[in-house]
Amino acid sequence: MDGSWWSSIVNRASSAEVEIQIEDLTPSHPYYPLGVTIPAYASNEAPVPVLLTALGGMLGFALLGASAIALKINPNLTKSNIALLCWFVMNGFLHCFFEGYFVLNHATIASSQNVLAQLWKEYALSDSRYLTSDFFMLSVESITVFIWGPLCFANAVSIVRGSPARHVLRIIVCMAHLYGVALYYSTSLCETYFTGRSHSRPEFLYFWIYYVGFNLPWAVIPAILLYDSARAVTRAMRALDKVDIALNAHRHRQDGIGALESKKMK
């Protein structure tokens, strides 16, 4: 009787211990790789459509306001100019404010419930490095916030003013975007290939739509703009070279005429 009673207690204690161990192994968050540490994580309170609508509303307000101001300053802007203006204003807004929020609040995003934090937590399902204060992400995003963001706004201003420096500024920012996207894709994919650790959930939505799709415009559009600006600069330099050749030929003729007249005078 005493032996069975003791065995029952031991079995219950063992079962409780196993249950506790299983609970400890259960992830407290939905992010990959499995077992990644995200302290104080709190799941989002707002549904994804609400978050996307909020982000779209903020971007729409910024783009409409910038377009209205630009047309007031320079009514001669073409539709292509307005499209370029909107692209660079959107980039400046995202870099300085959305990504700026990440740089300044990376340690508390996982536990926060404001709109920007919830947007980052949703996107982090495709790249958990944004919730782990990853040194690479902090370095790249800091450069983006403090250098490329302001340069995007400088590009927008140069378009409105028709500045001769607009193509130079455009080339700099496009190269930065292409290099940044290449680093962003390659660091994560190389880690997955060589170590098997993926920072993205495996579902189609999170890898192909969020991770690949949301970042792809920053590979395609800058490449197109870079090609266009390179052609414009090439045409301008070719025209300048022709002018220089014509001016040099004119100077030689003038020098020749002057030499002949001086000989006649003698």
Side-chain angles (χ1 to χ4, degrees):
M1 184 72 175
D2 293 339
S4 61
W5 175 78
W6 177 253
S7 298
S8 176
I9 292 176
V10 171
N11 290 334
R12 289 178 183 176
S14 299
S15 299
E17 186 178 351
V18 170
E19 288 178 1
I20 292 172
Q21 289 177 351
I22 292 174
E23 288 179 1
D24 290 341
L25 293 174
T26 303
S28 60
H29 58 73
Y31 300 98
Y32 271 57
L34 295 176
V36 64
T37 301
I38 302 177
Y41 170 73
S43 59
N44 281 349
E45 296 176 351
V48 175
V50 172
L51 295 175
L52 293 179
T53 301
L55 179 62
M58 289 185 283
L59 287 175
F61 179 79
L63 297 182
L64 288 174
S67 299
I69 293 172
L71 286 172
K72 188 173 183 179
I73 295 173
N74 185 357
N76 297 321
L77 289 173
T78 63
K79 291 181 179 179
S80 60
N81 289 146
I82 294 296
L84 281 174
L85 173 80
C86 288
W87 168 252
F88 285 112
V89 169
M90 182 187 72
N91 275 273
F93 181 88
L94 289 174
H95 293 338
C96 291
F97 299 105
F98 185 57
E99 291 165 83
Y101 177 86
F102 163 75
V103 170
L104 297 176
N105 301 278
H106 61 91
T108 59
I109 287 176
S111 60
S112 300
Q113 293 295 348
N114 61 65
V115 173
L116 294 180
Q118 291 190 70
L119 281 166
W120 275 117
K121 283 190 283 185
E122 178 63 24
Y123 178 75
L125 291 167
S126 71
D127 191 347
S128 64
R129 293 179 295 177
Y130 282 102
L131 296 185
T132 59
S133 296
D134 181 82
F135 291 138
F136 171 77
M137 300 311 303
L138 284 173
S139 301
V140 170
E141 292 293 1
S142 295
I143 294 171
T144 300
V145 170
F146 296 110
I147 298 178
W148 308 136
L151 275 177
C152 285
F153 286 127
N155 265 279
V157 172
S158 70
I159 291 169
V160 176
R161 293 182 174 178
S163 171
R166 64 188 182 277
H167 285 290
V168 175
L169 290 172
R170 194 177 304 167
I171 288 172
I172 293 171
V173 171
C174 288
M175 286 298 299
H177 282 150
L178 290 172
Y179 185 59
V181 169
L183 283 177
Y184 180 67
Y185 280 149
S186 62
T187 52
S188 181
L189 295 178
C190 283
E191 183 175 353
T192 301
Y193 180 79
F194 288 108
T195 69
R197 282 171 52 89
S198 174
H199 297 281
S200 173
R201 289 189 61 86
E203 292 86 354
F204 181 88
L205 172 66
Y206 301 121
F207 182 77
W208 289 107
I209 303 298
Y210 283 18
Y211 181 74
V212 176
F214 282 4
N215 293 285
L216 195 59
W218 279 268
V220 176
I221 296 177
I224 295 172
L225 296 182
L226 181 63
Y227 175 74
D228 180 69
S229 290
R231 288 183 60 195
V233 171
T234 301
R235 287 196 301 268
M237 291 304 300
R238 187 181 293 117
L240 184 61
D241 288 342
K242 289 180 179 179
V243 171
D244 284 340
I245 292 171
L247 286 175
N248 287 331
H250 178 72
R251 290 193 191 99
H252 287 313
R253 285 197 299 270
Q254 291 297 108
D255 291 342
I257 293 172
L260 289 173
E261 289 181 351
S262 62
K263 286 181 180 179
K264 289 179 180 180
M265 292 289 292
K266 292 178 180 179

